[in-house]
Amino acid sequence: MRRSKWLPLLAMLFAFSLIAAGCGKDEPSTTDTGGNTPVEKVDVTVYFQGALTGPYNYLVVPSFQGAQIAIDEFNADPDFPATITLKKGDTQGSADNAPAVLDEATTDETTVAVIGPGFSGESAASGDTYNESQIPFITASATATSLGEEGWDYWYRGVGNDASQGGIAGEYITSVVAPKNVFVAHDKSDYGQPLAETVKGVVEDAGIDIAGFEGIETGQEDYSSLVSTIKSSGADFMFFGGYDADFGKIVKQARDEGLDIPLMSGDGSLSSTTLDLAGDAADNVFLIAPTNIAGDFVQKFNDEVGGKASSVPVYAAEGYDVGTLVGNGIKEALDGGATMDDVQGVRDGIKAYFDSLTTDSPFDGVAKPYAFDDKHEIATDDPKKLFYLYKIEGGELTSLGSAEQLLGEG
């Protein structure tokens, strides 16, 4: 509400200003910090795009919850110059559901950044639109190596990619497990197939035989055909590139059919869904992921989220860190003179903050230090520092440690 220029009397002007202060819908909010000048807060929107519902949501919900914790902390800070609304852009992890989220986020004049997309397939389908709209978007969990080759100026990745994940998984298989024959399967997805192909290549280069390489149809209830193929191949190890909803059933049916060889998958299978589907009999199952779910942040996450937290808080710390990065970028932009009258100035200020993070001057998050290389991949002197190994025994998930600890420095 604006003050009228046409009121002739000072008393009426004063009365009108009181009404305006009481309504206040069109005025920036302020918070009195105890000094003479309260901080003026503007309203901004950050979208979170990913699988917030659906069969794969347990791979994304913890990162959303982590991001929300960070956003809530910014909003509670009286010195922070904005009030951030974190809006849900639920895609159920499918690229087919991305257009509606893209349309809403890019046409919302208060949108300053996007956290996500959560999965690689929807990232590939969304990246051009966000980049053309010049909206910074940073993922806490999409790992497909190809995303870094798209040349998106406004895209950033807060985790290690599948080239590193597959390479490190392959090194763990060959140097620690040391099987004679490895069967590699995948779900034909933008995430699972390249990951499986990378593992296959590393295993072959180490002189270990590939007993089989097969793509499966996802969403099935019966994977007995795959289990039979693996058994008849003579493989003494199996790696699966894909997601938890399939891997959990593969593990359960493999053990039910007496296939007791070690089984392994990547971050797409590190979830409570895998544990629930595989059951208590799941043993000798390995997982690799660019997230530390046994880190110090887990206690804070559980305290903040409580019963709504996933039993496997995959990417929760990364979600918190990415939310913090976005908040820091908003503050840098607004403190630097950008205003919501020109939302692109705020967006570019966030991008400038991301670009300022180097290995010599990173943002030290709860998960790891964050800096970005010229492709906007997370920068590190050794990819092993970004990955962690886990094992399931008796249906229970335990951390084996970082890849750097288990395999040595690269």
Side-chain angles (χ1 to χ4, degrees), residues 19-310:
I19 295 172
C23 296
K25 289 185 179 180
D26 294 328
E27 298 291 332
S29 60
T30 60
T31 301
D32 190 348
T33 60
N36 294 326
T37 306
V39 172
E40 186 176 90
K41 289 178 176 280
V42 298
D43 294 325
V44 302
T45 302
V46 174
Y47 278 80
F48 186 102
Q49 180 179 330
L52 297 174
T53 63
Y56 303 105
N57 72 323
Y58 284 107
L59 295 168
V60 174
V61 168
S63 61
F64 169 78
Q65 293 168 327
Q68 186 67 70
I69 293 171
I71 297 304
D72 289 345
E73 290 175 352
F74 280 114
N75 288 339
D77 181 357
D79 293 324
F80 186 69
T83 299
I84 306 172
T85 298
L86 185 62
K87 283 195 175 181
K88 296 179 179 180
D90 184 17
T91 60
Q92 295 191 332
S94 172
D96 294 339
N97 296 329
V101 176
L102 290 168
D103 182 64
E104 182 178 352
T106 57
T107 58
D108 186 339
E109 294 181 354
T110 65
T111 300
V112 296
V114 173
I115 297 175
F119 288 167
S120 298
E122 62 174 316
S123 293
S126 304
D128 286 346
T129 299
Y130 285 135
N131 201 61
E132 290 167 5
S133 300
Q134 297 182 302
I135 298 174
F137 59 117
I138 177 168
T139 181
S141 56
T143 56
T145 306
S146 59
L147 299 178
E149 305 299 326
E150 294 287 350
W152 296 320
D153 293 330
Y154 284 79
W155 170 86
Y156 298 82
R157 181 170 7 223
V159 291
N161 64 33
D162 286 338
S164 297
Q165 181 171 197
I168 294 169
E171 184 177 347
Y172 184 82
I173 293 167
T174 58
S175 64
V176 177
V177 183
K180 295 180 180 179
N181 301 280
V182 176
F183 193 101
V184 181
H186 61 85
D187 65 355
K188 304 180 185 178
S189 72
D190 291 339
Y191 156 74
Q193 184 168 346
L195 176 61
E197 289 171 346
T198 302
V199 171
K200 176 177 177 288
V202 173
V203 170
E204 285 180 320
D205 289 345
I208 295 174
D209 291 337
I210 298 296
F213 184 76
E214 184 173 320
I216 66 165
E217 297 300 324
T218 62
Q220 306 300 306
E221 293 300 321
D222 183 5
Y223 289 105
S224 59
S225 176
L226 175 64
V227 172
S228 296
T229 301
I230 297 170
K231 289 178 71 174
S232 63
S233 74
D236 56 0
F237 191 95
M238 190 275 277
F239 181 89
F240 175 70
Y243 292 103
D244 52 358
D246 299 306
F247 185 62
K249 287 180 277 193
I250 292 170
V251 171
K252 176 69 165 61
Q253 292 170 31
R255 297 309 185 233
D256 288 347
E257 293 297 321
L259 181 63
D260 59 0
I261 65 173
L263 308 174
M264 187 176 188
S265 190
D267 64 307
S269 297
L270 180 62
S271 78
S272 54
T273 298
T274 292
L275 297 178
D276 292 342
L277 291 172
D280 295 340
D283 282 309
N284 210 16
V285 177
F286 298 88
L287 297 161
I288 182 172
T291 179
N292 181 9
I293 63 171
D296 295 338
F297 177 73
V298 172
Q299 185 60 54
K300 176 183 177 68
F301 176 75
N302 289 334
D303 289 344
E304 292 281 344
V305 181
K308 295 181 290 184
S310 168

